[in-house]
């Protein structure tokens, strides 16, 4: 039988080595042994393809922080009482993907591999995987991004070829010794964006090395990260998983995070918290920038170039931009290599699904398309279809269809309202309103509006990047009200005079729990905008009848003025 043949061969090739699989309490007991941890450090230092994500510090920190989410699986090979091979896995305990085996670190580990001597690489990984398969025969195994330095020749052997699916990905790299790097650092676009920031105030780029310094910016970094992830991918990793923050804080406290920040007048505009392997720096971790007027200032680009300059002067050989297909990474890369995602399963249908996915990706690449971008667009369409279906079911099919027909026959149009300066009483009680609060945006709920959370955050990011501004108020982790301010500076036909800017409140949103305070919110927003813009009047645009009534209640009046 084929399986028996391979098993015998694997035992023969690791002759003299004792392979042991540890899981659960046995794994935790092993992780408490100083001799094992010391041998792990030695094996890591001598393994040519080892990355930081296979280091003792990274793996043990992740195991400890995520103890309630994953069960550790460790396969160790010993010869004469000395560690000669190590494979660290974890089995997912959550209900969504329960039983799936992943490399230690899962999504926090950019590269997942095994540690051993190069001459024993294929022999060890085959024997270790057989151990895991025997213990967990029904669980698929995922290794996320195995680098080209680690041999995958074993996957071509008949037994493994029938059970493995390799998915290749390009990896963009910035080699600091390449002449193209200096050209990147001297790009006119970078100088122009940096000069714009300098006109705003004092520009500071700094390495954060103290716990106090890191904690001072960490909350803002998490909010910026979740906001952008929510807008682009409908994710909220820190908001939904507090352990992620604990993991990064633990790494920083152990001196394992390289953190830099770009500030203007002391205000954080961009930052990274990334990890390194010897003289390589990996862009795996947290990479953020503020969205406010980002199209004009590009704080992310400025920070990234300044980070590259710092790394080059510090003797870093390579900045690993990491796989993913992001266009900005390809623009900055001076070389590319290939990494592979390795999926191992005894299920024919599971492997077939992955192979079909791989072939589809290959066709997209040949057509000049970004596979991950295409998959993201498909996922978004499915998400929106599901959300619209839920709305129809909640509203009732017949009522929903009648509403659609009415809107086709007589489309709902925006109504324009206007309020003049001086109408509101300046002595009204102050209402707690935030300006340009990403925290508030992240508290949006699909109540009081038709936009899904994904659509809301995506629209917010685009508006912020183009220079838009928003006022909001929230309570108990829930966004209750939001108003966007659009300022149109127009020049009259008379060349001797300029008309005043037209200021419009748009995309007015109110959660059902906020209606009793909506008028206070709108009054405060109008007063704040009047003060900021020195406006003589403010317009408000809405289709919502109840919102229109609230506007009229505080002094707005309906106008026939048309807005572009």
């Amino acid at each position: 039988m084929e399986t028996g043949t391979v098993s015998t061969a694997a035992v023969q090739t690791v002759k003299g080595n004792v392979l042991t699989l540890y899981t659960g309490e046995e794994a935790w007991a092993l992780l408490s042994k100083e001799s094992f941890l010391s041998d792990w450090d030695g094996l890591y230092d001598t393994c040519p393809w080892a990355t930081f994500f296979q280091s003792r510090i990274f793996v043990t920190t992740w195991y400890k922080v995520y103890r309630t989410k994953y069960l550790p699986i460790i396969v160790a090979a010993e010869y004469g009482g000395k560690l000669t091979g190590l494979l660290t896995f974890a089995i997912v305990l959550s209900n969504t993907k329960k039983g799936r085996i992943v490399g230690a670190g899962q999504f926090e580990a950019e590269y997942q591999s095994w540690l051993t001597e190069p001459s024993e690489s294929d022999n060890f990984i085959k024997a270790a995987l057989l151990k895991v398969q025997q213990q967990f025969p029904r669980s698929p195994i995922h290794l996320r991004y195995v680098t080209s330095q680690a041999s995958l020749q074993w996957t071509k052997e008949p037994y493994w070829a029938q059970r493995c699916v390799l998915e290749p990905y390009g990896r963009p790299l910035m080699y600091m010794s390449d002449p193209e790097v200096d050209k990147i650092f001297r790009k006119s676009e970078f100088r122009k964006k940096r000069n714009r920031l300098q006109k705003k105030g004092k520009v500071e780029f700094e390495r954060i090395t103290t716990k106090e310094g890191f904690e001072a910016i960490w909350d803002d970094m998490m909010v910026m990260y979740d906001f952008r992830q929510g807008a682009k991918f409908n994710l909220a990793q820190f908001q939904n998983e507090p352990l992620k923050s604990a993991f990064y804080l633990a790494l920083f406290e152990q001196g394992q995070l390289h953190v830099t920040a770009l500030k203007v007048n002391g205000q954080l505009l961009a930052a990274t918290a990334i990890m390194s392997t010897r003289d390589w720096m990996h862009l795996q971790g947290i990479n953020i920038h503020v969205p406010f007027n980002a199209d004009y200032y590009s704080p992310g680009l400025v920070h990234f170039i300044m980070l590259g300059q710092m790394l080059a002067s510090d003797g870093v050989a390579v900045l690993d931009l990491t796989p993913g297909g992001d266009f900005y990474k390809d623009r900055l890369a001076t070389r590319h290599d290939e990494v592979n995602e390795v999926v191992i399963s005894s299920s024919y249908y599971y492997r077939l699904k992955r192979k079909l996915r791989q072939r589809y990706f290959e066709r997209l690449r040949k057509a000049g398309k970004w596979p991950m971008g295409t998959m993201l667009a498909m996922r978004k369409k499915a998400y929106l279809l599901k959300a619209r279906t839920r709305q129809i079911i909640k509203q009732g099919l017949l009522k929903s269809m009648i509403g659609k027909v009415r809107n086709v026959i007589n489309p709902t149009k925006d109504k324009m309202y206007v309020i003049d300066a001086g109408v509101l009483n300046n002595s009204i009680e102050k209402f707690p309103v935030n300006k340009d609060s990403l925290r508030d945006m992240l508290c949006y709920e699909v109540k009081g509006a038709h936009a899904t959370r994904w659509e809301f955050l995506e629209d917010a990011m685009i508006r912020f990047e183009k220079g838009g501004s928003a006022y909001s108020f929230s309570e108990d982790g829930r966004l209750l009200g939001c108003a966007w301010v659009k300022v149109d500076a127009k020049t009259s036909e008379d060349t001797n005079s300029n008309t005043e800017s037209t200021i419009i409140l748009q995309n007015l949103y109110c959660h059902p729990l906020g209606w009793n305070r909506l008028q206070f919110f709108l009054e405060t927003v109008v007063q704040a905008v009047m003060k900021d813009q020195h406006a003589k009047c403010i317009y408000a645009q809405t289709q919502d009848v109840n919102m229109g009534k609230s506007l009229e209640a505080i002094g707005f009046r309906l106008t026939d003025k048309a807005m572009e």
Side-chain angles (χ1 to χ4, degrees):
M1 187 174 161
E2 191 178 20
T3 303
T5 304
V6 172
S7 181
T8 302
V11 171
Q12 290 174 348
T13 54
V14 292
K15 187 176 180 181
N17 289 270
V18 178
L19 259 71
T20 309
L21 186 148
Y22 302 87
T23 187
E25 292 305 318
E26 291 181 347
W28 289 113
L30 180 68
L31 294 170
S32 67
K33 293 182 178 180
E34 290 297 329
S35 58
F36 169 75
L37 299 177
S38 177
D39 284 351
W40 186 343
D41 289 339
L43 192 61
Y44 169 78
D45 289 338
T46 57
C47 183
W49 60 85
T51 67
F52 173 67
F53 310 102
Q54 287 78 56
S55 69
R56 171 186 56 83
I57 292 179
F58 179 89
V59 175
T60 57
T61 301
W62 185 82
Y63 275 153
K64 290 173 183 176
V65 172
Y66 286 91
R67 186 167 186 164
T68 59
K69 302 285 186 178
Y70 299 87
L71 182 73
I73 301 172
I74 301 172
V75 181
E78 294 184 1
Y79 182 81
K82 184 178 180 181
L83 188 68
T84 58
L86 183 65
L87 177 65
T88 54
F89 277 155
I91 190 163
V92 182
L93 298 178
S94 65
N95 292 327
T96 52
K97 295 184 178 179
K98 191 172 184 178
R100 183 179 182 181
I101 295 174
V102 298
Q106 199 178 19
F107 298 120
E108 305 304 335
E110 189 70 17
Y111 306 110
Q112 296 169 359
S113 188
W114 52 95
L115 302 176
T116 190
E117 295 180 4
S119 60
E120 291 298 316
S121 177
D122 286 3
N123 298 328
F124 169 73
I125 187 60
K126 288 187 295 183
L129 288 173
L130 282 172
K131 279 277 189 184
V132 176
Q133 285 186 319
Q134 290 166 6
Q135 185 78 11
F136 304 96
R138 302 177 68 87
S139 296
I141 300 171
H142 287 242
L143 283 169
R144 181 174 182 249
Y145 302 150
V146 178
T147 65
S148 58
Q149 288 76 24
S151 172
L152 289 175
Q153 287 297 315
W154 55 275
T155 62
K156 298 177 182 179
E157 297 177 9
Y159 175 87
W160 296 106
Q162 293 179 19
R163 290 163 174 80
C164 293
V165 179
L166 270 62
E167 299 179 9
Y169 293 88
R171 177 171 64 163
L173 303 168
M174 180 189 284
Y175 272 77
M176 298 303 177
S177 59
D178 288 345
E180 292 87 352
V181 168
D182 189 51
K183 295 178 182 178
I184 293 172
F185 291 165
R186 292 187 290 104
K187 276 188 174 182
S188 60
E189 181 184 8
F190 163 63
R191 294 198 304 273
K192 180 173 68 176
K193 302 291 187 179
R194 184 185 58 189
N195 290 339
R196 287 176 179 176
L197 288 177
Q198 288 174 339
K199 290 179 181 179
K200 284 172 62 72
K202 183 181 178 182
V203 176
E204 297 175 285
F205 177 81
E206 60 179 328
R207 171 91 184 269
I208 308 296
T209 57
T210 66
K211 183 179 179 181
E212 293 75 19
F214 185 50
E215 289 178 342
I217 65 172
W218 182 233
D219 282 350
D220 288 338
M221 287 180 67
M222 289 190 290
V223 170
M224 291 181 205
Y225 184 84
D226 273 0
F227 177 77
R228 188 164 186 81
Q229 290 283 304
K232 294 186 69 176
F233 309 111
N234 194 34
L235 299 174
Q237 296 185 38
F238 286 105
Q239 193 175 34
N240 295 337
E241 181 50 270
L243 294 179
K244 188 179 180 77
S245 175
F247 175 67
Y248 277 89
L249 287 170
L251 285 181
F252 184 86
E253 288 177 358
Q254 297 174 84
Q256 300 302 314
L257 279 186
H258 184 282
V259 181
T260 53
L262 175 68
K263 299 177 182 179
V264 173
N265 294 331
Q267 182 179 0
L268 181 68
L269 294 191
T272 56
I274 56 180
M275 308 169 201
S276 65
T277 302
R278 304 180 181 94
D279 59 350
W280 280 49
M281 192 68 68
H282 308 287
L283 198 64
Q284 164 65 3
I286 308 302
N287 178 17
I288 59 92
H289 65 266
V290 294
F292 311 123
N293 224 350
D295 284 359
Y296 182 76
Y297 291 108
S298 299
L301 173 68
V302 174
H303 175 270
F304 204 87
I305 298 298
M306 296 179 82
L307 170 64
Q309 292 172 336
M310 170 185 277
L311 297 179
S313 65
D314 289 346
V316 172
V318 180
L319 175 56
D320 170 18
L321 301 170
T322 68
D326 299 288
F327 296 119
Y328 81 91
K329 293 181 178 181
D330 289 329
R331 285 177 58 200
L332 295 169
T334 61
R335 305 185 201 180
H336 289 76
D337 69 358
E338 187 175 89
V339 296
N340 281 276
E341 184 174 356
V342 181
V343 179
I344 305 154
S345 175
S346 57
S347 168
Y348 169 78
Y349 294 105
Y350 191 87
R351 294 196 308 274
L352 178 62
K353 183 173 70 172
R354 299 293 300 201
K355 286 180 179 179
L356 291 174
R357 178 176 181 264
Q358 179 188 3
R359 289 172 185 172
Y360 178 59
F361 279 13
E362 289 175 355
R363 289 183 179 180
L364 289 173
R365 291 190 188 97
K366 289 180 180 179
K369 297 180 180 179
W370 177 34
M372 300 308 293
T374 303
M375 293 297 289
L376 179 63
M378 292 171 62
R379 183 165 69 87
K380 186 175 182 180
K381 287 180 180 178
Y383 166 85
L384 294 177
L385 177 61
K386 186 177 180 180
R388 302 291 183 255
T389 303
R390 281 199 302 263
Q391 283 182 344
I392 292 172
I393 293 173
K394 185 177 181 180
Q395 187 178 11
L397 180 60
L398 181 60
K399 187 176 180 181
S400 179
M401 289 180 65
I402 292 173
K404 294 286 185 184
V405 172
R406 283 178 178 171
N407 198 45
V408 171
I409 297 173
N410 186 22
T412 304
K413 296 181 180 179
D414 281 342
K415 290 183 178 180
M416 194 65 63
Y417 299 81
V418 65
I419 189 171
D420 297 316
V423 171
L424 291 178
N425 183 0
N426 290 330
S427 63
I428 63 171
E429 184 179 348
K430 292 293 183 181
F431 187 78
V433 170
N434 299 315
K435 184 179 180 182
D436 297 339
S437 172
L438 300 185
R439 294 178 192 275
D440 281 357
M441 300 293 116
L442 287 171
C443 295
Y444 172 80
E445 291 182 351
V446 189
K447 291 182 179 180
H450 294 292
T452 63
R453 186 177 188 276
W454 197 340
E455 291 172 310
F456 177 83
L457 291 177
E458 182 181 47
D459 177 70
M461 184 177 74
I462 293 171
R463 287 174 179 271
F464 279 138
E465 288 178 343
K466 294 184 180 301
S469 186
Y471 289 85
S472 59
F473 79 104
S474 61
E475 186 176 84
D476 297 330
R478 181 181 290 115
L479 178 66
L480 296 182
C482 181
W484 285 91
V485 181
K486 180 181 179 183
V487 181
D488 282 339
K490 296 182 180 180
T491 304
S492 67
E493 293 181 0
D494 182 1
T495 57
N496 296 320
S497 65
N498 290 332
T499 60
E500 292 184 0
S501 298
T502 301
I503 302 168
I504 316 167
L505 301 184
Q506 295 180 322
N507 282 54
L508 303 175
Y509 164 79
C510 185
H511 190 283
L513 295 178
W515 278 106
N516 61 338
R517 285 167 284 178
L518 177 60
Q519 290 182 28
F520 298 110
F521 169 66
L522 292 173
E523 286 176 342
T524 306
V525 170
V526 169
Q527 287 194 342
V529 175
M530 288 278 192
K531 183 178 180 181
D532 288 347
Q533 300 294 332
H534 306 289
K536 292 182 178 180
C537 69
I538 293 178
Y539 292 89
Q541 190 175 10
T542 185
Q543 293 181 355
D544 189 275
V545 175
N546 292 323
M547 184 66 72
K549 290 179 179 178
S550 295
L551 289 168
E552 290 176 332
I554 67 169
F556 276 86
R557 67 181 187 277
L558 196 61
T559 177
D560 294 331
K561 183 178 178 65
M563 294 293 173
E564 295 181 359

